[in-house]
């Protein structure tokens, strides 16, 4: 989510459990605090200004109620405490336990299984008979299991899953070592911003219609590999709301289990001629819309995505009629549906019903919480009747998921065949919309009524509320991490790497009661050990590297936890400094990836020219005023230039640029002189490439020297968040000498001899 300066002093960390309770607390409040702490809520915490804080009682009650723990009275609190006690009673075992390969497996202390014999059925078919430790002064422990996987443990009448994970994830170093490399680099791209050729031949219309797609991604991958790129990092491709195409943020999806159909390449379904055919059948108006959207400087999500859906509907109809006898294709589609199972059908049902309500003009068409009793769950009789009556519409949405999965897999195949040891790096959003598909079909696991955000700090004095739902930590354990594992597997299947957005959420999340301001939330702890072990297990099963977006307030010791788990953190050029200035490349982390910038931060050219400051001034986000901010940036530019010169990546006096400005009637471009920014861009890329990081990640905007960033956090208008298109068709993206030179310098600095394309 929104990137912030990394804080290392423990700011805003939950206070110690031994923190004293406030004076004059009533017995009822004591019960409330005890219940909150048992549920993992940090009642006491230290804010960004080193001031102790106590969560408001009404906020505690709202959060606890959302977690399924009523607490309106002292009696309610005691009842809820008893509910938690039952989950720690003698003989209780959760449906899933985790352990580490080659290490003894500790069972819950309260299970009292000491000295018992048990059977473990390994997922490779082997069976083990093991004896649980008998020392009553220690938790019962199983002997080490050497085979990683999801095994069945049968003991004392219980049958549960035993997830044995490798000690760490499959790492970037592991992937690079397969090609004999020690360091690599990756290109980062916003998929929706890619362009495809716009052609007219013999009255046939082609092109992307104003919105990037997986076909362009598949074309870009070997282009980057040609310059030795080890990976291609992409923006999230989670399923959005097909019936509400105006929603554009890839970090606010409907479901993290499925893919975004708006990113399907229509020409990749039945061929470019089939796309031209359905466009022609749509008539002059459809062709004109296609070309107008194609030529736009910014993405018009509502129109471009709706237009894309119209094309996809026509192509689906063509598939059903003209390819009904294609046995191979039909069999592949049937196999995809069988593999997706009930979860896939539930998502298709959500999309179909949303479309049905939208076509009737019903408000709240994409929010299941407004569907009434009949739509409260996918399995209600009314929903099943709707599914039977609208089987064709549901098949259409199943078809979209099939095509999206095929095209994304082709992009990964292109990347690997071109020589990338990793290939695509997917992006796992921190949450999904509480009214969306994932929350609808996984209600027993989502903390309904709570949204994810961040508490007040220096960068956001009012706090942040991202409006996203999250898993309930209590429900995760109770359900055996069922929905969490499904989400991990869906994301890990997208490529050779996964970036976990706001990875701090594995430790704790700031959860805010629905409808309240961000400062009315609290930190809620998550089962970090179990979640990291499951990530490691899935990482090796998919041979997928894991990167954790750890920007923001980092809990004490969390960096070490990530390093030991094989999860690479992220170090951003703008934040890698101390009181003396910017850190030299040699002082950067050897475990975390190194990046020039992120989608939430200014590009190198934008930072150097102050384009981000111009936007923030226009939007009223600069408390100190534009002149003061520009002076501070001038000093920071001087510090960076000094570091670049000292390290040998630049020479001569500081290149000066005219301060950027934003015209009130121009959201697409900045009238700034970037002539000298190119020098800074080159030097900054060299600087980051020189770090010992296993992977240096460079956004395509920095390769092209662009000043505009994809997203300005906290704003939807007038800044065009998630709407920027790249300036050239994908095939010509690196045609300019400056872009080619930067790519070649990255290849030389980071290694890699890719296959010719």
């Amino acid at each position: 989510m929104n990137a912030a300066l990394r804080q290392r002093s423990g700011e805003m960390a939950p206070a110690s459990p031994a923190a004293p309770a406030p004076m004059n607390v009533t017995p009822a409040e004591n019960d409330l605090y005890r219940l909150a702490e048992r549920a993992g809520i940090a009642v006491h915490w230290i804010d960004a200004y080193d001031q102790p804080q106590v969560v408001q009682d009404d906020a505690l009650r709202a959060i606890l109620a959302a977690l399924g723990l009523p607490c309106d009275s002292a009696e309610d609190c005691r009842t809820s405490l008893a509910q938690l006690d039952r989950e720690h009673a003698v003989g209780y075992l959760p449906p899933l336990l985790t352990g580490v390969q080659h290490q003894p497996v500790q069972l819950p202390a309260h299970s009292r299984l000491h000295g018992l014999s048990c059977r473990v059925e390994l997922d490779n078919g082997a069976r083990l008979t093991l004896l649980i430790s008998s020392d009553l002064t220690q938790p019962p422990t199983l002997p080490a299991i050497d085979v990683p996987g999801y095994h069945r443990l049968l003991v004392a009448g219980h049958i549960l899953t035993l997830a044995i994970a490798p000690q760490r994830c499959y790492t970037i170093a592991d992937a690079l070592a397969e090609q004999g490399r020690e360091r690599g680099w990756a290109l980062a791209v916003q998929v929706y911003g890619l362009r495809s050729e716009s052609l007219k031949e013999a009255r046939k219309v082609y092109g992307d219609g104003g919105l990037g797609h997986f076909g362009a991604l598949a074309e870009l991958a070997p282009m980057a590999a040609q310059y030795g790129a080890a990976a291609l990092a992409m923006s999230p491709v989670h399923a959005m709301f097909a019936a509400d195409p105006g929603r554009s943020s890839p970090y606010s999806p409907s479901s993290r289990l499925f893919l975004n159909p708006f990113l399907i390449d229509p020409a990749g379904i039945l061929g470019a001629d089939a796309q031209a055919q359905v466009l022609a059948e749509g008539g002059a108006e459809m062709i004109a819309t296609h070309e107008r959207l194609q030529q736009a400087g910014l993405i018009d999500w509502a129109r471009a995505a709706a237009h894309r859906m119209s094309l996809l509907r026509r192509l689906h109809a063509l598939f059903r009629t003209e390819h009904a006898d294609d046995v191979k294709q039909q069999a592949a589609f049937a196999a995809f549906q069988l593999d997706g199972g009930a979860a896939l059908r539930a998502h298709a049902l959500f999309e179909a019903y949303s479309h049905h309500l939208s076509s009737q003009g019903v408000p709240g068409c994409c929010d299941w919480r407004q569907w009434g009793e009949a739509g409260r769950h996918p399995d209600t009789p009314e929903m099943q009747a709707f599914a039977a009556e609208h089987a064709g519409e549901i098949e259409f949405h199943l078809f979209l998921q099939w095509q999206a999965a095929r095209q994304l897999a082709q992009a990964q195949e292109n990347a690997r065949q071109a020589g990338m040891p990793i290939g695509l790096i997917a992006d796992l959003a921190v949450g999904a919309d509480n009214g969306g598909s994932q929350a609808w079909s996984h209600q027993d696991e989502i903390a309904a009524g709570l949204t994810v955000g961040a508490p007040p700090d220096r960068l956001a004095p009012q706090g942040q509320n991202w409006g996203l739902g999250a898993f309930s930590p209590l429900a995760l354990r109770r359900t055996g991490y069922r929905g969490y594992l499904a989400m991990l597997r869906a994301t890990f299947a997208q490529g050779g790497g996964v970036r976990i957005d706001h990875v701090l959420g594995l430790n704790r999340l700031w959860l805010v009661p629905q409808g309240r301001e961000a400062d009315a939330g609290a930190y809620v702890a998550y089962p970090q050990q179990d979640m990291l072990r499951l990530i490691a297990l899935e990482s090796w099963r998919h041979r997928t590297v894991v990167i954790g977006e750890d920007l923001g307030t980092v809990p004490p010791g969390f960096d070490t936890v990530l390093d030991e788990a094989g999860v690479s953190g992220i170090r951003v050029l703008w934040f890698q400094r101390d009181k003396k200035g910017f850190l030299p490349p040699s002082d950067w982390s050897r475990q975390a990836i190194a990046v020039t910038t992120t989608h939430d931060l200014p590009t190198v050219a934008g930072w150097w020219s102050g384009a981000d400051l111009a936007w923030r001034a226009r939007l009223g986000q600069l408390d100190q005023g534009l002149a003061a901010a520009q002076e501070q940036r001038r000093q920071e530019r001087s510090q960076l230039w000094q570091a670049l010169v000292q390290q040998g990546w630049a020479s001569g006096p500081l290149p000066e640029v005219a301060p950027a400005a934003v015209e009130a009637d121009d959201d697409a471009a900045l009238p700034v002189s970037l002539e000298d920014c190119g020098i800074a861009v080159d030097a900054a890329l060299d600087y980051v490439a020189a770090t010992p990081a296993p992977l240096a990640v460079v956004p395509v905007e920095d390769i092209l020297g662009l000043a505009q960033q994809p997203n300005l956090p906290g704003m939807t208008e007038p800044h065009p968040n998630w709407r920027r298109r790249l300036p050239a068709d994908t095939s010509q993206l690196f045609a300019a000498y400056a872009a080619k030179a930067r790519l070649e310098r990255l290849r030389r600095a980071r290694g890699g001899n890719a296959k010719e394309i």
Side-chain angles (χ1 to χ4, degrees):
M1 295 301 295
N2 299 354
L5 184 63
R6 291 168 59 83
Q7 297 167 338
R8 295 289 164 189
S9 62
E11 290 176 350
M12 302 173 74
S16 164
M23 300 295 291
N24 302 320
V25 175
T26 67
E29 287 173 327
N30 274 327
D31 287 334
L32 177 65
Y33 292 161
R34 279 195 291 271
L35 176 61
E37 289 169 356
R38 284 286 304 279
I41 302 173
V43 177
H44 305 90
W45 55 285
I46 306 299
D47 68 15
Y49 308 96
D50 290 326
Q51 297 300 308
Q53 299 291 339
V54 180
V55 180
Q56 302 168 18
D57 288 355
D58 58 344
L60 283 178
R61 292 190 176 94
I63 294 170
L64 286 165
L67 296 176
L69 298 170
C71 53
D72 286 339
S73 65
E75 183 178 353
D76 287 340
C77 289
R78 288 190 287 270
T79 299
S80 293
L81 280 166
Q83 176 184 332
L84 294 178
D85 287 340
R86 286 192 290 274
E87 296 180 9
H88 292 83
V90 174
Y92 174 82
L93 286 173
L96 181 144
L97 291 172
T98 66
V100 177
Q101 184 183 14
H102 308 310
Q103 295 181 10
V105 181
Q106 185 172 300
L107 304 177
H110 62 260
S111 64
R112 303 288 179 87
L113 297 174
H114 300 83
L116 295 183
S117 177
C118 66
R119 188 171 80 220
V120 176
E121 298 177 351
L122 303 181
D123 63 5
N124 64 8
R127 294 188 176 187
L128 306 174
T129 299
L130 303 175
L131 185 64
I132 300 173
S133 64
S134 57
D135 184 355
L136 295 178
T137 65
Q138 300 293 328
T141 303
L142 284 174
I145 296 174
D146 296 332
V147 180
Y150 295 95
H151 314 312
R152 287 214 314 168
L153 172 63
L154 296 85
V155 58
H158 297 278
I159 301 176
L160 59 143
T161 298
L162 192 59
I164 301 299
Q167 293 185 6
R168 59 167 177 78
C169 295
Y170 179 76
T171 65
I172 295 170
D174 293 325
L176 294 176
E178 295 182 6
Q179 289 189 356
R181 299 170 61 177
E182 294 183 358
R183 299 190 310 164
W185 78 275
L187 185 70
V189 66
Q190 304 292 312
V191 179
Y192 58 81
L194 292 170
R195 289 180 182 266
S196 293
E197 276 191 314
S198 179
L199 301 174
K200 258 191 175 182
E201 292 181 358
R203 298 182 182 178
K204 290 184 179 179
V205 178
Y206 302 92
D208 58 36
L211 188 59
H213 51 54
F214 294 132
L217 186 72
E219 183 180 7
L220 179 63
M223 292 170 57
Q226 190 176 23
Y227 290 94
L232 178 59
M234 57 184 182
S235 51
V237 294
H238 302 311
M240 300 300 286
F241 297 84
D244 188 1
R247 299 196 194 186
S248 59
S249 172
Y251 290 96
S252 300
S254 171
S255 176
R256 295 174 289 176
L257 299 173
F258 302 103
L259 298 173
N260 186 353
F262 298 148
L263 300 179
I264 294 172
D265 177 7
I269 297 177
L270 299 173
D273 287 344
Q275 176 188 341
Q277 175 186 333
V278 297
L279 271 169
E281 291 171 352
E285 184 176 348
M286 190 173 195
I287 291 174
T289 297
H290 187 87
E291 293 181 328
R292 183 173 63 253
L293 292 168
Q294 176 83 33
Q295 295 165 7
L298 293 172
I299 296 171
D300 183 339
W301 274 99
R303 292 181 173 84
H307 174 71
R308 175 74 49 87
M309 288 298 289
S310 296
L311 283 175
L312 296 176
R313 286 188 180 279
R314 290 175 178 273
L315 288 164
H316 174 242
L318 193 63
F319 174 81
R320 293 187 67 183
T321 55
E322 298 190 11
H323 295 264
D325 297 331
D326 189 330
V327 176
K328 185 177 180 180
Q329 288 275 67
Q330 294 294 337
F333 186 25
F336 176 80
Q337 295 178 63
L338 183 63
D339 185 59
L344 175 62
R345 291 200 64 83
H347 177 71
L349 175 57
F350 179 93
E351 293 284 64
Y353 193 64
S354 297
H355 173 74
H356 171 71
L357 295 180
S358 176
S359 64
Q360 296 181 338
V362 177
C365 64
C366 292
D367 187 340
W368 65 271
R369 296 168 297 181
Q370 300 187 41
W371 291 355
E373 188 65 19
R376 64 180 173 80
H377 194 273
D379 295 330
T380 64
E382 293 85 353
M383 283 291 99
Q384 291 305 302
F386 175 88
E389 185 179 349
H390 297 82
E393 180 68 14
I394 288 177
E395 183 194 281
F396 169 61
H397 292 286
L398 294 171
F399 176 81
L400 294 183
Q401 288 302 313
W402 177 47
Q403 290 299 317
R406 291 180 69 187
Q407 293 188 8
L408 189 57
Q410 185 61 58
Q412 171 66 0
E413 180 67 18
N414 285 8
R416 295 305 300 270
Q417 286 186 353
M420 287 187 179
I422 297 172
L424 302 182
I425 297 178
D427 200 330
L428 176 60
V430 67
D433 194 293
N434 272 325
S437 164
Q438 187 175 2
W440 186 52
S441 56
H442 289 78
Q443 293 175 44
D444 56 342
E445 298 159 84
I446 303 296
L450 299 177
T451 57
V452 184
D457 59 21
R458 292 180 176 89
L459 293 180
Q462 304 305 314
Q464 301 175 58
N465 188 338
W466 302 328
L468 300 172
F471 286 110
S472 160
L474 303 179
L476 283 173
R477 299 186 187 94
R478 291 170 185 157
T479 60
Y481 299 89
R482 183 176 61 245
Y484 176 71
L485 280 169
M487 182 189 69
L488 286 182
R489 289 164 182 162
T491 309
F492 277 58
Q494 292 178 16
V498 170
R499 172 194 178 272
I500 300 177
D501 188 39
H502 196 66
V503 74
L504 310 179
L506 298 177
N507 176 271
R508 67 187 185 200
L509 283 175
W510 182 262
L511 298 182
V512 183
Q514 193 88 32
R516 290 174 173 252
E517 298 298 326
D519 61 357
Y523 275 121
V524 179
Y526 277 73
Q528 172 182 292
Q529 179 175 268
D530 284 349
M531 296 172 80
L532 277 171
R533 287 175 175 176
L534 294 173
I535 287 173
L537 181 50
E538 291 300 323
S539 169
W540 277 100
R541 287 165 77 92
H542 288 85
R543 281 295 198 275
T544 301
V545 306
V546 183
I547 298 166
E549 187 265 297
D550 57 347
L551 304 175
T553 305
V554 182
F558 191 63
D559 280 347
T560 302
V561 169
L562 291 183
D563 289 345
E564 292 176 349
V567 176
S568 295
I570 298 177
R571 300 296 178 267
V572 184
L573 173 60
W574 312 132
F575 302 153
Q576 287 298 96
R577 38 182 154 162
D578 56 20
K579 294 180 180 179
K580 297 180 181 179
F582 285 84
L583 298 178
S586 59
D587 288 354
W588 288 38
S589 170
R590 295 179 178 274
Q591 285 77 39
I593 69 169
V595 304
T596 51
T597 189
T598 75
H599 56 262
D600 284 331
L601 296 168
T603 66
V604 175
W607 186 88
W608 196 264
S609 66
D612 61 314
L613 300 181
W615 266 111
R616 291 188 180 280
R618 175 182 172 185
L619 299 173
Q621 290 188 347
L622 293 177
D623 293 338
Q624 74 271 46
L626 180 58
Q630 288 174 336
E631 173 57 25
Q632 180 180 343
R633 181 62 55 82
R634 190 196 67 77
Q635 295 175 11
E636 292 171 337
R637 270 201 313 270
S638 179
Q639 289 180 342
L640 178 57
W641 186 254
Q642 182 180 4
L644 294 171
V645 170
Q646 288 176 347
Q647 295 296 316
W649 303 117
S651 61
L654 173 71
E656 293 289 354
V657 294
V662 179
E663 297 294 337
D665 59 349
D666 183 6
D667 289 332
L670 287 174
V672 298
S673 172
L674 301 179
E675 181 176 349
D676 289 327
C677 287
I679 300 173
V681 172
D682 292 342
L685 264 60
D686 289 341
Y687 198 76
V688 170
T691 67
L695 196 69
V697 181
V698 179
V700 68
E701 289 86 357
D702 283 344
I703 296 295
L704 302 179
L706 303 181
Q708 298 285 12
Q709 63 197 73
N711 179 53
L712 189 63
M715 288 289 163
T716 55
E717 293 293 341
H719 188 270
N721 285 351
W722 316 115
R723 296 180 59 202
R724 300 198 183 280
R725 305 200 75 195
L726 292 176
D729 291 337
T730 301
S731 63
Q732 299 299 312
L733 201 55
F734 306 138
Y737 171 80
K740 289 180 179 178
R742 288 171 188 141
L743 292 168
E744 179 60 23
R745 284 150 70 133
L746 284 167
R747 187 193 68 78
R748 291 179 180 178
R750 305 294 297 189
N753 295 312
K755 298 179 180 179
E756 292 295 327
I757 59 171

